[in-house]
Amino acid sequence: MKKPSRQIRDEIARLQEQLKQAETREAERIGRIALKAGIGEFEIDEEALLSAFEEIANRFRAGGSRTTKTPPTVTFGASSGVAEQG
């Protein structure tokens, strides 16, 4: 039996709301972790910060692991946003 278009639209709206809530939870979690790490203490260009987060995401994707034994240190510079990563 086919679903009426109205029912499909309702399901889409419900799923969009679930997605919004999930993204909010994820953003809050990552934000709390970033603040614990001291990111809030720096004036960082948004593009530089995004680039650093993309590097972190790529490192975890490449490693296939969600955790590391010793986290790398990231030093933020005044001009470029990310001065050194090791």
Side-chain angles (χ1 to χ4, degrees), residues 16-75:
Q16 286 174 330
E17 183 58 31
Q18 285 180 0
L19 176 60
K20 182 180 172 184
Q21 291 173 1
E23 289 174 339
T24 298
R25 282 190 308 272
E26 292 167 2
E28 289 172 350
R29 175 180 170 263
I30 292 167
R32 281 191 303 272
I33 292 168
L35 289 174
K36 283 182 183 179
I39 297 295
E41 299 171 10
F42 302 101
E43 287 192 29
I44 305 169
D45 176 65
E46 192 169 318
E47 287 297 317
L49 187 57
L50 175 61
S51 177
F53 280 137
E54 287 172 343
E55 289 176 20
I56 292 168
N58 288 333
R59 189 186 78 226
F60 281 93
R61 281 187 200 112
S65 174
R66 293 180 60 126
T67 61
T68 60
K69 292 181 182 176
T70 56
T73 56
V74 177
T75 307

Side-chain angles (χ1 to χ4, degrees), residues 3-20:
K3 292 183 183 180
S5 61
R6 181 68 201 153
Q7 185 178 3
I8 294 170
R9 278 193 289 277
D10 290 344
E11 283 184 41
I12 291 171
R14 182 181 52 79
L15 291 171
Q16 286 174 330
E17 183 58 31
Q18 285 180 0
L19 176 60
K20 182 180 172 184

